[in-house]
Structures are given as C-alpha cells and as structure tokens.
Amino acid sequence: MAHKRSLRGRVERAMDFPAGSLTKITLLEMESNRRLVIDGCEGILAYTDDCIRLRVPEGELTVMGCGLGMNCLTAEGAAVTGRIQRIEFSGGGV
C-alpha cells in the first residue's frame, strides 16, 4: 500500500496536479481563528464545545478552542467554527 501512495505522489508531482488529487491527504484552510475547513475528514471521534477530534487519513486531527461547533460535515470534509486556539495531528503518519 505504501508503494501505491508513493507512486501516486510522484505522479501528482510529475503531472503538476494539486497535492491530494490522487492520494488521500488532509488539507486545512483557516479563516482567521474563527473557521477551519478540513478536506479529507473521515469521521468524528469526539465532539464538545472546547474540543473536536476528527479521523483523517494521517491519523487524528484535534481542534481545541471555545464555542466550537461543526456546521458542515460531508463525505469529503468538515468545517469547524468557533474560537480556534490550537490544532494538533496525532497517530498514523504518511
């Protein structure tokens, strides 16, 4: 499986495709500290108003802050809103 991931990454670079177009990776887009869009979210592991843990291809993504909420969750990604104070990756690895 790692060989396929490596080959897909090389094809992306050789063809000048955007990162993640052929491989499963997590892309984050932040709008100040009030909104975080996660492309590649695979599910919710924990959800409170000060901590949201998400499953991503590389392992887990933890978002910590105040008044956190999710106003969008699709098969491709998620959006976290509130006052974001910290973001952490753990586990897995590419």
Side-chain angles (χ1 to χ4, degrees), residues 50-67:
D50 60 355
C51 180
I52 297 176
R53 287 182 32 233
L54 304 169
R55 186 179 324 110
V56 294
E58 299 85 359
E60 291 182 17
L61 174 72
T62 303
V63 181
M64 291 162 277
C66 298

Side-chain angles (χ1 to χ4, degrees), residues 38-58:
I38 303 108
D39 185 23
C41 176
E42 297 177 337
I44 301 170
L45 299 172
Y47 187 117
T48 66
D49 66 345
D50 60 355
C51 180
I52 297 176
R53 287 182 32 233
L54 304 169
R55 186 179 324 110
V56 294
E58 299 85 359

